[in-house]
Amino acid sequence: MPRPATRPTTRHDLPHGLPHDPPQSPPHDPSDGASGAPSVPLAPTSAPTPAQTVGPFYGYALPFPGGEQIAPAGHPGTVTVHGCVRDGAGAPVPDALLEFWQAGPDGSLTGAPGSLRRDPATGAAIGRNGVDFTGFGRVPTDADGHYVVRTLPATAPAGCPDAAPYLAVCLFARGLLHHLFTRVYFPEHATAHVADPLLARLPAERAKTLLARPDGPGRYRFDVHLQQAEDGTYEETVFLAFR
């Protein structure tokens, strides 16, 4: 048989006519001083609770079907870019989100609609139509901090004659109060890197953090390091101010 719920007893719970005596003060000890107030031991001082940032969790709701498939389906020139997002301790970041933006094959930056198409009946995101190149991708990292996108080879933006081809990247991650911007350059454009307005201003070691490395036919690896390793085994990725 379940026990009835209990609650604190109040003066209204006492039987009718039963006196309710107020709590008695402890007797005064003359040794406590002239004030007559009883001595009470002071509670130990507590340390302030450290600041903690949990979330936001970008892997929920923001990814959409086919977000990693920037190149039109079956395009013969498709290249794969993949890598790992790591924190300052070298540990993978399992719930980061990366957005990729790139110029079209003609260098245009206008892009094309269609990345986030929705079902008109349900409102659910159904992804791309598989034909148009939108120049935009969004992909979360997996449990190992790994991501992968498939896109067309990078081109330089039109109207920027000195710029080398690159992919623009925007990174979101738990604990980052502000998203981070960076770029991916490719080794086959080494001649163009010499005059690129960004790479030309960076020391060689810093510029290397923006360079993808070959990882098989039509495949490149680009790792993102949120901080420099304490032992100096790798540099922090160069991050940019958006203007």
Side-chain angles (χ1 to χ4, degrees):
M1 178 176 180
R3 299 177 61 186
T6 60
R7 58 186 175 86
T9 301
T10 69
R11 62 182 300 173
H12 302 289
D13 298 314
L14 298 175
H16 180 69
L18 186 65
H20 177 69
D21 296 330
Q24 300 296 319
S25 299
H28 169 57
D29 182 354
S31 64
D32 290 337
S35 65
S39 61
V40 178
L42 297 176
T45 302
S46 299
T49 301
Q52 297 180 4
T53 302
V54 179
F57 302 103
Y58 292 103
Y60 175 75
L62 288 176
F64 61 92
E68 75 285 358
Q69 300 288 347
I70 306 175
H75 195 288
T78 299
V79 296
T80 297
V81 180
H82 74 106
C84 189
V85 179
R86 297 187 180 276
D87 63 18
V93 179
D95 52 3
L97 187 75
L98 297 95
E99 290 186 348
F100 290 81
W101 305 77
Q102 69 182 98
D106 60 352
S108 64
L109 293 174
T110 55
S115 296
L116 295 169
R117 293 186 312 131
R118 293 189 177 275
D119 187 309
T122 65
I126 57 177
R128 313 172 194 276
N129 61 15
V131 176
D132 297 322
F133 176 74
T134 66
F136 170 74
R138 179 185 290 163
V139 59
T141 56
D142 61 18
D144 298 319
H146 185 258
Y147 74 89
V148 58
V149 292
R150 294 177 176 85
T151 188
L152 298 183
T155 53
C160 302
D162 293 331
Y166 66 86
L167 306 181
V169 182
C170 184
L171 172 69
F172 305 82
R174 172 181 31 159
L176 289 180
L177 300 182
H178 299 283
H179 41 276
L180 303 174
F181 297 96
T182 190
R183 291 181 179 181
V184 186
Y185 290 88
F186 296 87
E188 60 266 32
H189 305 132
T191 302
H193 294 170
V194 177
D196 182 85
L198 172 60
L199 295 179
R201 298 201 309 265
L202 295 174
E205 289 302 313
R206 301 294 291 133
K208 286 181 181 179
T209 69
L210 301 180
L211 186 63
R213 67 178 187 270
D215 191 38
R219 190 169 66 189
Y220 301 88
R221 183 173 184 105
F222 181 76
D223 293 329
V224 179
H225 298 283
L226 299 180
Q227 289 180 312
Q228 182 178 3
E230 292 185 0
D231 59 5
T233 53
Y234 54 82
E235 291 259 346
E236 176 182 305
T237 299
V238 169
F239 298 111
L240 311 172
F242 185 81
R243 297 179 180 176

